[in-house]
């Protein structure tokens, strides 16, 4: 009994492993704090609210990122309008309708491969296919179609995971009282897994905001205010990340850090929004 595990509750290996785990956690937090702190340190002194409402013009001697903010919003909305129906619909089919397990495995494997392709490859494909073959040229539409392919794995996989967490008894109860399968999906499954779906959508929005390589080849870098809502979709438009890259290339580090600060606020805002929406739907589900 001298070598029993009960007599070795405080083993040295456990203490070392516990210390390493805590150090890894603190390192992750420290890296985030350093990145945010440095961006705030460089961005806040150079920040001016006029940047948010002006356009960059040599003739008027002004610097602003308003067109880039508008282009970013255009690409976010248009990309989600394209990707969400395909990603969520595909996940519903694979999880609720598809009976062939091999077919589901092939689709899931394909989705995983899509998530691992470098963004620069997506940009090259989008430029050649959507821009040249489809004749959309350098435009917000070309960039949105390219990004829609990129974020499909995020939306689809999160939706599948969310659907799998819904208890099987929910399905059986709805079908048992005579509901059709689509009615059951629409009124029972989707409301129950909405927090997971919303989390996937907001993570996809973060990917859209942060993307630069693919958009450089597809949407271009023009920073001009739109003359109308729908016509601007077919014109070139640089997002905030593209403008950040261009300002860094020119050596305008103050403007670059201001853009980085704006991007940081947007990304943190999206993450907090994901948390709030998830809690809201969880509370509603419990109350229901």
């Amino acid at each position: 009994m001298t070598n029993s595990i009960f007599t070795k509750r405080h083993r040295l290996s456990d203490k070392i492993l516990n210390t390493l785990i805590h150090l890894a956690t603190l390192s992750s937090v420290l890296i985030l704090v350093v990145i945010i702190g440095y961006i705030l340190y460089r961005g806040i002194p150079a920040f001016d609210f006029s940047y948010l409402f002006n356009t960059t013009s040599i003739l008027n001697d002004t610097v602003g990122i308003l067109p880039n903010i508008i282009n970013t919003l255009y690409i976010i909305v248009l990309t989600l309008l394209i990707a969400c129906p395909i990603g969520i619909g595909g996940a519903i089919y694979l999880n609720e309708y598809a009976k062939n397990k091999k077919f589901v495995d092939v689709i899931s494997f394909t989705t995983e491969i899509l998530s691992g392709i470098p963004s620069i490859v997506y940009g090259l494909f989008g430029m050649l296919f959507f821009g040249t073959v489809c004749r959309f040229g350098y435009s917000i539409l070309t960039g949105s179609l390219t990004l829609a392919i990129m974020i499909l794995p995020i939306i689809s996989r999160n939706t599948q995971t969310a659907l799998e967490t819904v208890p099987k008894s929910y399905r059986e109860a709805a079908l048992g009282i005579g509901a059709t399968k689509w009615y059951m999906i629409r009124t029972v499954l989707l409301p129950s897994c909405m927090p997971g779906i919303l989390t996937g959508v907001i993570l996809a929005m973060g990917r859209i905001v942060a993307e630069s390589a693919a958009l450089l080849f597809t949407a271009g870098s023009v920073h001009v205010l739109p003359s109308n809502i729908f016509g601007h979709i077919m014109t070139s438009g640089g997002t905030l990340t593209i403008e950040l890259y261009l300002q860094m290339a020119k050596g305008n580090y103050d403007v670059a850090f201001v853009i980085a600060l704006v991007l940081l606020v947007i990304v943190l805002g999206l993450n907090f929004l994901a948390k709030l929406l998830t809690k809201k739907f969880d509370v509603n589900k419990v109350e229901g």
Side-chain angles (χ1 to χ4, degrees), residues 200-256:
V201 171
I202 293 175
L203 287 174
M205 290 173 64
R207 176 73 185 272
I208 296 169
V209 172
E211 188 54 49
S212 59
L215 290 177
L216 191 62
F217 285 165
T218 55
S221 59
V222 175
H223 47 271
V224 178
L225 286 172
S227 56
N228 59 75
I229 296 177
F230 297 104
H232 189 61
I233 294 173
M234 298 304 299
T235 61
S236 175
T239 60
L240 287 168
T241 51
I242 297 298
E243 187 64 20
L244 172 61
Y245 166 76
L246 295 176
Q247 294 296 336
M248 286 292 292
K250 296 174 184 176
N252 298 329
Y253 296 112
D254 288 341
V255 179

Side-chain angles (χ1 to χ4, degrees), residues 12 14 26 34 48 65 105 127 140 142 157 182 195 228 236:
L12 181 61
D14 290 340
L26 290 175
V34 169
D48 191 333
I65 56 174
D105 291 339
M127 180 185 68
I140 290 176
T142 302
R157 195 59 201 156
W182 172 239
N228 59 75
S236 175

Side-chain angles (χ1 to χ4, degrees), residues 261-279:
L261 180 62
V262 174
L263 284 170
L264 181 66
V265 171
I266 293 174
V267 172
L268 290 177
L270 290 175
N271 281 275
F272 283 121
L273 179 63
K275 293 289 185 183
L276 290 175
L277 288 175
T278 301
K279 288 182 180 179

